[in-house]
Short mmCIF file of all heavy atoms in Angstrom, two decimals:
data_model
loop_
_atom_site.label_atom_id
_atom_site.label_comp_id
_atom_site.label_asym_id
_atom_site.label_seq_id
_atom_site.Cartn_x
_atom_site.Cartn_y
_atom_site.Cartn_z
N GLU A 133 -13.47 -5.41 -6.81
CA GLU A 133 -14.20 -4.60 -5.83
C GLU A 133 -15.18 -3.72 -6.59
O GLU A 133 -14.78 -2.83 -7.33
CB GLU A 133 -13.25 -3.71 -5.03
CG GLU A 133 -12.46 -4.42 -3.96
CD GLU A 133 -11.63 -3.46 -3.12
OE1 GLU A 133 -11.58 -2.26 -3.45
OE2 GLU A 133 -11.04 -3.90 -2.13
N SER A 134 -16.47 -3.97 -6.40
CA SER A 134 -17.50 -3.19 -7.09
C SER A 134 -17.97 -2.06 -6.17
O SER A 134 -18.40 -2.30 -5.05
CB SER A 134 -18.68 -4.08 -7.47
OG SER A 134 -19.64 -3.33 -8.18
N LEU A 135 -17.87 -0.82 -6.66
CA LEU A 135 -18.25 0.35 -5.87
C LEU A 135 -19.44 1.08 -6.49
O LEU A 135 -19.65 2.26 -6.21
CB LEU A 135 -17.06 1.31 -5.74
CG LEU A 135 -15.79 0.72 -5.14
CD1 LEU A 135 -14.66 1.74 -5.18
CD2 LEU A 135 -16.03 0.26 -3.71
N GLY A 136 -20.20 0.39 -7.31
CA GLY A 136 -21.33 1.04 -7.96
C GLY A 136 -20.95 1.47 -9.36
O GLY A 136 -20.86 0.66 -10.28
N ALA A 137 -20.71 2.77 -9.53
CA ALA A 137 -20.36 3.28 -10.85
C ALA A 137 -18.99 2.78 -11.30
O ALA A 137 -18.73 2.57 -12.48
CB ALA A 137 -20.39 4.81 -10.86
N ASP A 138 -18.07 2.60 -10.33
CA ASP A 138 -16.72 2.13 -10.64
C ASP A 138 -16.48 0.76 -10.03
O ASP A 138 -17.17 0.35 -9.09
CB ASP A 138 -15.67 3.10 -10.08
CG ASP A 138 -15.69 4.45 -10.78
OD1 ASP A 138 -15.92 4.47 -12.00
OD2 ASP A 138 -15.47 5.47 -10.11
N ALA A 139 -15.48 0.08 -10.57
CA ALA A 139 -15.00 -1.17 -9.98
C ALA A 139 -13.48 -1.16 -10.06
O ALA A 139 -12.90 -0.59 -10.99
CB ALA A 139 -15.56 -2.38 -10.70
N TYR A 140 -12.86 -1.76 -9.06
CA TYR A 140 -11.40 -1.92 -9.08
C TYR A 140 -11.08 -3.39 -9.30
O TYR A 140 -11.54 -4.26 -8.55
CB TYR A 140 -10.77 -1.42 -7.78
CG TYR A 140 -10.75 0.09 -7.70
CD1 TYR A 140 -11.68 0.77 -6.93
CD2 TYR A 140 -9.81 0.82 -8.41
CE1 TYR A 140 -11.68 2.16 -6.87
CE2 TYR A 140 -9.80 2.22 -8.36
CZ TYR A 140 -10.74 2.87 -7.58
OH TYR A 140 -10.73 4.25 -7.53
N VAL A 141 -10.31 -3.65 -10.34
CA VAL A 141 -9.90 -5.00 -10.69
C VAL A 141 -8.49 -5.21 -10.14
O VAL A 141 -7.55 -4.50 -10.52
CB VAL A 141 -9.91 -5.21 -12.21
CG1 VAL A 141 -9.38 -6.60 -12.57
CG2 VAL A 141 -11.31 -4.99 -12.77
N TYR A 142 -8.35 -6.17 -9.22
CA TYR A 142 -7.04 -6.52 -8.66
C TYR A 142 -6.59 -7.81 -9.35
O TYR A 142 -7.28 -8.83 -9.28
CB TYR A 142 -7.13 -6.75 -7.16
CG TYR A 142 -7.43 -5.50 -6.35
CD1 TYR A 142 -8.72 -4.97 -6.30
CD2 TYR A 142 -6.43 -4.85 -5.64
CE1 TYR A 142 -9.01 -3.82 -5.58
CE2 TYR A 142 -6.70 -3.71 -4.90
CZ TYR A 142 -7.99 -3.19 -4.87
OH TYR A 142 -8.27 -2.06 -4.15
N GLY A 143 -5.47 -7.76 -10.02
CA GLY A 143 -4.98 -8.93 -10.72
C GLY A 143 -3.47 -9.00 -10.71
O GLY A 143 -2.80 -8.26 -9.98
N HIS A 144 -2.92 -9.89 -11.51
CA HIS A 144 -1.47 -10.00 -11.60
C HIS A 144 -1.08 -10.34 -13.03
O HIS A 144 -1.82 -10.98 -13.77
CB HIS A 144 -0.92 -11.06 -10.63
CG HIS A 144 -1.37 -12.46 -10.94
ND1 HIS A 144 -2.55 -12.99 -10.47
CD2 HIS A 144 -0.79 -13.45 -11.70
CE1 HIS A 144 -2.68 -14.23 -10.89
NE2 HIS A 144 -1.64 -14.53 -11.65
N VAL A 145 0.11 -9.87 -13.39
CA VAL A 145 0.67 -10.18 -14.70
C VAL A 145 1.93 -11.01 -14.46
O VAL A 145 2.74 -10.70 -13.58
CB VAL A 145 0.98 -8.89 -15.51
CG1 VAL A 145 1.91 -7.96 -14.76
CG2 VAL A 145 1.54 -9.23 -16.88
N ASP A 146 2.08 -12.08 -15.20
CA ASP A 146 3.24 -12.97 -15.06
C ASP A 146 4.34 -12.52 -16.00
O ASP A 146 4.13 -12.42 -17.22
CB ASP A 146 2.85 -14.42 -15.37
CG ASP A 146 1.87 -14.97 -14.34
OD1 ASP A 146 2.14 -14.79 -13.13
OD2 ASP A 146 0.86 -15.56 -14.74
N ALA A 147 5.51 -12.25 -15.45
CA ALA A 147 6.63 -11.76 -16.24
C ALA A 147 7.44 -12.93 -16.79
O ALA A 147 7.30 -14.08 -16.37
CB ALA A 147 7.52 -10.85 -15.39
N THR A 148 8.34 -12.61 -17.74
CA THR A 148 9.16 -13.65 -18.38
C THR A 148 10.14 -14.29 -17.40
O THR A 148 10.56 -15.42 -17.59
CB THR A 148 9.94 -13.05 -19.56
OG1 THR A 148 10.62 -11.86 -19.10
CG2 THR A 148 9.02 -12.68 -20.70
N ASP A 149 10.51 -13.54 -16.33
CA ASP A 149 11.46 -14.11 -15.37
C ASP A 149 10.78 -14.99 -14.33
O ASP A 149 11.41 -15.46 -13.38
CB ASP A 149 12.24 -12.98 -14.67
CG ASP A 149 11.33 -12.05 -13.86
OD1 ASP A 149 10.11 -12.32 -13.80
OD2 ASP A 149 11.85 -11.08 -13.29
N GLY A 150 9.48 -15.23 -14.50
CA GLY A 150 8.75 -16.08 -13.58
C GLY A 150 8.11 -15.36 -12.41
O GLY A 150 7.36 -15.95 -11.64
N SER A 151 8.39 -14.07 -12.26
CA SER A 151 7.80 -13.30 -11.17
C SER A 151 6.37 -12.90 -11.51
O SER A 151 5.96 -12.92 -12.67
CB SER A 151 8.64 -12.05 -10.88
OG SER A 151 8.61 -11.17 -11.99
N SER A 152 5.62 -12.53 -10.47
CA SER A 152 4.24 -12.09 -10.66
C SER A 152 4.11 -10.66 -10.15
O SER A 152 4.54 -10.36 -9.03
CB SER A 152 3.29 -13.02 -9.88
OG SER A 152 1.97 -12.59 -10.01
N LYS A 153 3.57 -9.78 -10.96
CA LYS A 153 3.46 -8.37 -10.59
C LYS A 153 1.98 -8.00 -10.44
O LYS A 153 1.18 -8.25 -11.33
CB LYS A 153 4.12 -7.50 -11.67
CG LYS A 153 5.60 -7.85 -11.90
CD LYS A 153 6.22 -7.00 -12.99
CE LYS A 153 7.63 -7.46 -13.33
NZ LYS A 153 8.57 -7.36 -12.21
N ASP A 154 1.65 -7.45 -9.27
CA ASP A 154 0.26 -7.08 -8.99
C ASP A 154 -0.15 -5.83 -9.76
O ASP A 154 0.65 -4.90 -9.94
CB ASP A 154 0.08 -6.83 -7.49
CG ASP A 154 0.24 -8.10 -6.66
OD1 ASP A 154 -0.03 -9.18 -7.22
OD2 ASP A 154 0.63 -8.00 -5.49
N ILE A 155 -1.41 -5.82 -10.19
CA ILE A 155 -1.94 -4.72 -11.00
C ILE A 155 -3.34 -4.37 -10.46
O ILE A 155 -4.13 -5.25 -10.15
CB ILE A 155 -2.08 -5.12 -12.48
CG1 ILE A 155 -0.71 -5.38 -13.11
CG2 ILE A 155 -2.82 -4.06 -13.27
CD1 ILE A 155 0.06 -4.15 -13.47
N ILE A 156 -3.62 -3.06 -10.36
CA ILE A 156 -4.96 -2.57 -10.01
C ILE A 156 -5.44 -1.69 -11.16
O ILE A 156 -4.73 -0.77 -11.58
CB ILE A 156 -4.97 -1.76 -8.70
CG1 ILE A 156 -4.31 -2.55 -7.57
CG2 ILE A 156 -6.39 -1.37 -8.32
CD1 ILE A 156 -4.09 -1.71 -6.31
N VAL A 157 -6.66 -1.95 -11.64
CA VAL A 157 -7.24 -1.19 -12.75
C VAL A 157 -8.62 -0.70 -12.34
O VAL A 157 -9.42 -1.47 -11.81
CB VAL A 157 -7.37 -2.05 -14.03
CG1 VAL A 157 -7.85 -1.20 -15.20
CG2 VAL A 157 -6.07 -2.75 -14.36
N ARG A 158 -8.89 0.57 -12.58
CA ARG A 158 -10.26 1.08 -12.38
C ARG A 158 -11.03 0.92 -13.67
O ARG A 158 -10.54 1.28 -14.75
CB ARG A 158 -10.24 2.55 -11.96
CG ARG A 158 -11.62 3.05 -11.49
CD ARG A 158 -11.58 4.48 -11.03
NE ARG A 158 -11.52 5.41 -12.16
CZ ARG A 158 -11.43 6.74 -12.03
NH1 ARG A 158 -11.34 7.27 -10.83
NH2 ARG A 158 -11.38 7.52 -13.09
N THR A 159 -12.25 0.40 -13.57
CA THR A 159 -13.05 0.16 -14.77
C THR A 159 -14.52 0.43 -14.48
O THR A 159 -14.89 0.80 -13.36
CB THR A 159 -12.83 -1.29 -15.27
OG1 THR A 159 -13.47 -1.45 -16.53
CG2 THR A 159 -13.40 -2.30 -14.28
#
């Protein structure tokens, strides 16, 4: 999501147990 000066990155990290965990990062 691009908001001009900032952007929010929505992603996921795959854990060792096979689950997927959502992550939001401001950049």
Side-chain angles (χ1 to χ4, degrees):
E133 284 185 353
S134 182
L135 303 175
D138 292 324
Y140 286 101
V141 176
Y142 292 77
H144 65 273
V145 57
D146 294 313
T148 50
D149 62 3
S151 65
S152 178
K153 302 179 187 297
D154 293 333
I155 295 282
I156 307 171
V157 185
R158 191 178 76 183
T159 188

